[in-house]
Amino acid sequence: KAGVTQTPRYLIKTRGQQVTLSCSPISGHRSVSWYQQTPGQGLQFLFEYFSETQRNKGNFPGRFSGRQFSNSRSEMNVSTLELGDSALYLCASRSWGGLETQYFGPGTRLLVL
Amino acid sequence: GQQLNQSPQSMFIQEGEDVSMNCTSSSIFNTWLWYKQDPGEGPVLLIALYKAGELTSNGRLTAQFGITRKDSFLNISASIPSDVGIYFCAGQLQGAQKLVFGQGTRLTINP
């Protein structure tokens, strides 16, 4: 079974731009979560989608948004990029079981200049 | 917000040594998870703990869920080169469907 895939793997943007990241979950998994990983703040939960609906949300500003499609693929968008948005963005998918069942993708490394 | 204090931040050990790391919090968690992250990859689950006092092993790895439900530790015995990486603890608060992560412990092994 293929794992969680994320595209692109690397991205360079400038301040003020917006970016869209994509995540394809493991086949059969209907939940997709997004995390931001930075050296200073560690791994922080952004939001989770299940059946095209946002079910949980972390403490991030409204510039961070997401959506999920009917095939469970998810996208995350960050508008008006700031230097501090430079991070590794991780996606994790699970069937609607416990959080211990989620599998992480390799991440998209975003650099904002 | 809730925070997990993970220590140590980094460890430099010799191959064959045992390793111990822990996480503490002021909050009570009903699930503790331990992950390992290799460079360029996402975290991979090592051990999941569900009950206070629970002690669980996975090969050379052993983890325990603290009695107070506010802490957990991970031990690695007889370390080998492939143990190199960053180890994260994560906790799930009761009723919450999201994880809080520790800052990670970076393990380096000298052959």
Side-chain angles (χ1 to χ4, degrees), chain B residues 45-81:
Chain B
L45 181 67
L46 299 173
I47 291 180
L49 302 159
Y50 303 98
K51 296 189 300 186
E54 179 181 356
L55 185 70
T56 297
S57 293
N58 178 7
R60 295 177 296 105
L61 277 61
T62 301
Q64 184 159 29
F65 193 141
I67 291 292
T68 64
R69 298 172 64 189
K70 294 182 179 181
D71 62 336
S72 178
F73 73 74
L74 174 71
N75 287 341
I76 305 173
S77 63
S79 58
I80 60 177

Side-chain angles (χ1 to χ4, degrees), chain B residues 2-8 21-29 32 34 64 66 68-73 89-91 100-103:
Chain B
Q2 290 79 21
Q3 282 190 322
L4 292 183
N5 300 310
Q6 185 172 349
S7 64
M21 60 192 76
N22 69 84
C23 273
T24 61
S25 175
S26 57
S27 300
I28 292 175
F29 290 89
W32 282 95
W34 284 92
Q64 184 159 29
T68 64
R69 298 172 64 189
K70 294 182 179 181
D71 62 336
S72 178
F73 73 74
C89 63
V100 177
F101 281 82
Q103 295 284 55

Side-chain angles (χ1 to χ4, degrees), chain A residues 9 37 40 56 94 100 105, chain B residues 37 40 42 45 50 88 97 103:
Chain A
R9 292 294 308 273
Q37 185 175 24
N56 292 289
R94 61 179 170 129
E100 74 278 9
Chain B
Q37 185 175 24
L45 181 67
Y50 303 98
F88 291 95
Q97 283 295 317
Q103 295 284 55

